[in-house]
Amino acid sequence: MSKKFYITTPIYYVNARPHIGHAYTTIACDAVARRQRMLGADTFFLTGTDEHGQKIERAAQAAGKTPQEFTDEVSAQFRALWKRMGITNDDFIRTTEDRHKRRVQELFRRLRDNGHIYKGTYTGQYCVFDELYVDAVGPGAPCPECGRPTETVKEENYFFKLSSFQNRLLQLYNERPDFIRPETRRNEVMSFVRSGLRDLSISRSTFSWGIPVPDDPKHVIYVWLDALANYITAIGYGSSHEGAREAFQKYWPADLQMIGKEIVRFHCVYWPAFLMAAELPVPKSIVAHGWLLFEESKMSKSRGNIVRTETILDVLGADALRYFLLREVVFGQDGSFSFDALVQRYNADLANGLGNLASRTLTMITRYFRGEVPYPSAVVSQRAGDGAVAESARRVIAECSVLFDQYQFSRALEVAWSLVAAVDKYIVDNEPWALGEKQDEESRSRLATILYTSAEALRIVTALAHPVIPDATARIWAQLGLGDIRKFPLSELKWGQLQLGAKLGNVEPVFPRADKSAAERMQSMEEQQRSGSSTIEAQPETTLPIAAPTAAAVPVEKPPASVPDGKISIDDFAKIELRVGQVRTAEKVKGADKLLRLEVDLGTEVRQVVAGIAESYAPESLIGRKVVIVANLAPRKLRGLESNGMIVAASPEGGKAVLAGFLEDVPVGTRLK
Ligand code: ME8
């Protein structure tokens, strides 16, 4: 029976559209899944969307939609994007699906029946952004994970006896060093667990967007218990259906659960504890990668510094993005994304590297040998260089396999491309084009050897690179006359398998060179996207509106006849989304006396807002202050900085601006209406 391999991505929150940070994990998992299939493993690759909880409920509200409408829409965007990118997931789970809800309730019952759940009252802080209970800090304190202000929660909840799993968890980390990778993350988790675990609240009772607790529907199940359970519900845990139960028996425990480093605690502490409490095996390995940074900070919707995948697909295609992310970023560490680096890498390694090797080799075989793989000639025409290429290919196959299995994608690709460089040099040194002009037997047989050697090396790099750049390699493989690359058994790859005399397919370039403007084009596509379809131009600093928005700031439709002149209707007012925000950081904008750059927390996200209040407020005085934000104003650029929203202030004629505020405490994110 073939080995099985079950691999998962995190399920992504649907509070925002997918960006290349999400694509990064999905691509890495897709490459692993494709490689496992080529190695003959019965592979199951799962991804999906995380759709419950307060953060999503608020995001839906902000979008003026019901949570179900909102989650349907955004989840479909994730699914469509993965499809467009050729991601080979075997299932896509949504936590709002009935199958998931029923099975999560089953898990909850099991934890309760096994005596790991009790009722209590949670009084403390909660970070809605991370959906995280933050113990041991006071009201208004920032979340230790993301720095956003926490909200005070006091509610009756169900608790999970996490504290009783401390020793079993430590034992797990000690006995199975591969359970958490890389080592740095393992050390962090171990010291967190050693410092003591508190019981964990696993239900909420002050909102309803979640899965009801069985027999007590006033409560909804804590979103992280709901979300983590997807890894087992998708493959049939808790189902009464025989087929589903068999799938669960077959695939669980997962072989690899890949995540970003910010969700290590949920996956390496809570998740194994839940599984132990349900008497289920824990996953074999959880691998945490670093962050993709853009403009020096973590790419995230709340910072407004995201890059959309679609832009790159439109200009360079999915293979370019896949290759770049896995080659450029050292897996496990943070890595910067830039369009310039993407285009440079694409041209150097794909267009001029593999693409050029494929087209020059295959074109010469077509021209000089009527498109049939030539026979390498008798010993007499062999040179040392031929054997050296074969030797280097053997080494590359061995090293690449080890590196791929350790998820060192960047090193694995570097090693594979060393073969591309070796063959390029071999071709240049041997000048096959000069031999092609001669008809004597010695020249013909030398030419045959050179082109055979090049084509065989090309075949080997193509097979090794297939999991990372599936589309181009499938085309090169077909051009080599080898059929469907997905059927090639990778574990049998070795030098000398190229079929002699095989007829090449149609030869055509796979990676056209990107011109100089490609990076700029992508950059401007992103900028256009960020500024939406807004026609509002950045205004000069002096006319920056800092007071309550008027019809000039937010375009409104013509009022209906029943509204007297100069007034707006209640419907018009409802279009303006005013929200309570809390200033997290504030600083002067260089070279602009009147402007401050603020980061304002809106509960579901942190926005950058540029406001003309520098003459009225010292930046330090604003930190922690609650303000009113026009949250649905189209983004604008001021002094090169994007402003996402407007801060509301009274601006007396000739006087200083005074920020609107509240006498009572109001939760961050609350809408004003
Ligand atoms: O955390 N760099 O969902 P999420 C690298 N729903 N990876 C990034 C990234 C970046 N800048 N941004 C996102 C959640 N990711 C929960 C998970 S699982 C049971 C529940 C990737 O939408 C990375 O894999 O915030 C990260 O862990 C994940 O997306 C977070 O996605």
Side-chain angles (χ1 to χ4, degrees):
M1 226 174 69
S2 68
K3 192 177 132 239
K4 69 88 187 172
F5 195 87
Y6 178 32
I7 176 169
T8 65
T9 72
I11 48 169
Y12 305 111
Y13 282 129
V14 289
N15 61 319
R17 288 174 57 90
H19 55 73
I20 64 167
H22 305 113
Y24 179 50
T25 322
T26 311
I27 286 170
C29 287
D30 188 60
V32 174
R34 284 176 184 268
R35 184 175 148 80
Q36 286 297 330
R37 290 191 197 102
M38 283 179 94
L39 290 170
D42 175 351
T43 304
F44 196 89
F45 167 22
L46 177 70
T47 188
T49 42
D50 186 355
E51 307 187 8
H52 287 133
Q54 217 168 1
K55 161 156 138 168
I56 305 296
E57 191 182 62
R58 287 187 187 171
Q61 202 184 9
K65 306 208 162 127
T66 66
Q68 192 63 57
E69 277 166 0
F70 180 73
T71 55
D72 284 350
E73 229 168 73
V74 185
S75 176
Q77 290 170 355
F78 275 92
R79 197 192 281 249
L81 178 62
W82 302 153
K83 187 152 184 255
R84 178 170 176 205
M85 287 175 65
I87 298 297
T88 57
N89 52 301
D90 296 285
D91 197 354
F92 183 101
I93 182 136
R94 300 183 55 191
T95 54
T96 48
E97 284 174 68
D98 276 345
R99 60 167 173 161
H100 175 75
K101 292 189 209 164
R102 282 196 308 272
R103 295 170 191 179
V104 168
Q105 288 179 325
E106 197 49 45
L107 175 65
F108 194 97
R109 276 192 205 101
R110 176 107 170 239
L111 300 179
R112 193 171 57 191
D113 294 348
N114 286 354
H116 299 292
I117 292 181
Y118 62 92
K119 220 171 191 177
T121 300
Y122 179 80
T123 310
Q125 299 306 113
Y126 191 81
C127 171
V128 175
F129 184 83
D130 288 322
E131 296 283 11
L132 173 73
Y133 293 97
V134 182
D135 297 318
V137 293
C143 167
E145 294 297 313
C146 67
R148 292 172 176 81
T150 53
E151 294 178 24
T152 305
V153 168
K154 182 172 183 346
E155 56 188 43
E156 190 191 48
N157 289 345
Y158 285 96
F159 280 80
F160 173 71
K161 292 184 189 166
L162 182 65
S163 57
S164 65
F165 286 88
Q166 182 167 353
N167 291 338
R168 284 181 68 185
L169 287 169
L170 288 171
Q171 194 184 350
L172 167 71
Y173 311 141
N174 279 321
E175 285 173 359
R176 303 236 321 253
D178 269 358
F179 177 70
I180 310 171
R181 284 188 277 178
E183 188 67 21
T184 42
R185 304 289 159 229
R186 177 167 175 259
N187 294 338
E188 276 167 25
V189 169
M190 287 182 77
S191 70
F192 174 78
V193 174
R194 268 198 217 104
S195 72
L197 293 176
R198 290 169 173 238
D199 290 348
L200 177 72
S201 162
I202 50 163
S203 75
R204 297 289 312 269
S205 52
T206 48
F207 67 94
S208 60
W209 183 239
I211 302 175
V213 166
D215 314 315
D216 196 354
K218 280 202 317 293
H219 294 256
V220 292
I221 295 173
Y222 174 42
V223 64
W224 269 102
L225 172 56
D226 165 350
L228 287 161
N230 91 87
Y231 301 131
I232 54 175
T233 62
I235 52 166
Y237 169 81
S239 169
S240 53
H241 194 276
E242 179 128 7
R245 283 210 309 265
E246 274 170 17
F248 179 66
Q249 289 306 328
K250 174 166 156 194
Y251 289 114
W252 192 254
D255 296 84
L256 173 61
Q257 302 214 260
M258 202 177 273
I259 56 172
K261 65 181 182 182
E262 78 290 355
I263 51 178
V264 162
R265 186 193 309 174
F266 300 102
H267 283 80
C268 301
V269 181
Y270 300 170
W271 180 223
F274 293 149
L275 289 166
M276 287 171 182
E279 296 168 292
L280 292 171
V282 300
K284 291 191 190 145
S285 193
I286 296 173
V287 171
H289 62 66
W291 286 338
L292 276 191
L293 312 177
F294 189 57
E295 291 159 356
E296 282 159 34
S297 53
K298 182 186 177 218
M299 194 178 293
S300 75
K301 150 98 180 173
S302 52
R303 284 193 184 84
N305 65 342
I306 59 158
V307 174
R308 292 169 330 121
T309 313
E310 291 84 343
T311 298
I312 300 165
L313 300 184
D314 286 347
V315 176
L316 294 178
D319 278 357
L321 176 64
R322 294 171 71 104
Y323 181 81
F324 176 79
L325 292 179
L326 296 186
R327 173 65 185 87
E328 190 84 7
V329 181
V330 175
F331 203 70
Q333 297 177 18
D334 292 351
S336 291
F337 177 85
S338 84
F339 288 110
D340 284 335
L342 169 66
V343 171
Q344 231 169 51
R345 204 27 109 185
Y346 171 86
N347 276 337
D349 292 9
L350 298 179
N352 297 342
L354 182 62
N356 188 38
L357 172 64
S359 76
R360 81 208 299 207
T361 305
L362 299 172
T363 307
M364 282 193 281
I365 294 179
T366 305
R367 182 175 310 151
Y368 303 132
F369 293 95
R370 295 188 315 279
E372 282 174 17
V373 174
Y375 285 62
S377 264
V379 183
V380 69
S381 66
Q382 293 272 335
R383 304 265 161 86
D386 312 333
V389 172
E391 209 30 64
S392 128
R394 287 189 191 100
R395 181 188 48 82
V396 164
I397 294 172
E399 283 181 20
C400 238
S401 306
V402 173
L403 292 165
F404 262 121
D405 288 342
Q406 296 169 343
Y407 311 122
Q408 295 197 49
F409 305 108
S410 170
R411 286 278 299 121
L413 292 169
E414 189 182 357
V415 167
W417 258 250
S418 71
L419 185 56
V420 175
V423 188
D424 268 344
K425 181 167 181 319
Y426 169 78
I427 293 178
V428 170
D429 289 350
N430 286 282
E431 298 188 336
W433 43 86
L435 293 167
E437 303 306 313
K438 302 182 181 161
Q439 291 307 321
D440 63 288
E441 202 161 316
E442 169 69 22
S443 302
R444 290 289 294 165
S445 71
R446 186 69 209 126
L447 181 62
T449 303
I450 297 165
L451 293 183
Y452 168 83
T453 305
S454 310
E456 176 57 350
L458 170 66
R459 184 187 69 92
I460 285 170
V461 180
T462 304
L464 291 172
H466 177 65
V468 177
I469 44 172
D471 184 38
T473 48
R475 282 155 59 207
I476 297 175
W477 199 258
Q479 292 179 33
L480 278 164
L482 297 169
D484 184 351
I485 192 169
R486 289 169 307 174
K487 303 216 169 91
F488 179 76
L490 196 54
S491 54
E492 289 167 25
L493 182 67
K494 60 174 194 249
W495 182 264
Q497 293 166 319
L498 186 60
Q499 227 185 320
L500 303 177
K503 187 93 188 114
L504 298 190
N506 270 350
V507 177
E508 52 188 33
V510 286
F511 290 117
R513 243 191 98 75
D515 61 41
K516 279 203 192 102
S517 68
E520 266 167 42
R521 253 185 301 143
M522 288 188 278
Q523 191 92 47
S524 78
M525 280 161 79
E526 279 304 276
E527 270 159 24
Q528 262 172 20
Q529 184 69 26
R530 272 182 227 154
S531 57
S533 55
S534 153
T535 52
I536 301 177
E537 298 292 325
Q539 302 185 16
E541 201 187 318
T542 43
T543 59
L544 181 70
I546 50 169
T550 62
V554 178
V556 289
E557 283 161 23
K558 217 167 173 256
S562 59
V563 178
D565 253 8
K567 307 271 192 236
I568 61 169
S569 73
I570 187 75
D571 290 345
D572 288 337
F573 176 69
K575 288 181 189 151
I576 302 166
E577 189 189 327
L578 297 170
R579 286 199 184 270
V580 178
Q582 187 165 35
V583 179
R584 270 187 56 203
T585 58
E587 63 188 14
K588 293 206 153 148
V589 173
K590 269 201 208 105
D593 295 346
K594 297 191 172 138
L595 294 182
L596 290 184
R597 187 189 80 86
L598 310 170
E599 282 180 20
V600 182
D601 191 335
L602 289 182
T604 48
E605 55 179 307
V606 174
R607 299 267 191 95
Q608 172 169 286
V609 175
V610 181
I613 52 173
E615 289 179 331
S616 315
Y617 293 93
E620 321 73 74
S621 69
L622 292 173
I623 294 172
R625 179 161 175 160
K626 293 208 171 143
V627 291
V628 177
I629 294 288
V630 186
N632 61 343
L633 200 59
R636 309 175 305 141
K637 279 222 160 156
L638 296 157
R639 293 288 168 128
L641 292 171
E642 187 165 284
S643 185
N644 271 299
M646 195 175 82
I647 193 159
V648 177
S651 38
E653 276 297 310
K656 293 196 166 176
V658 180
L659 291 177
F662 303 92
L663 295 174
E664 285 87 11
D665 195 25
V666 211
V668 170
T670 310
R671 185 155 184 186
L672 281 76
K673 46 190 177 186

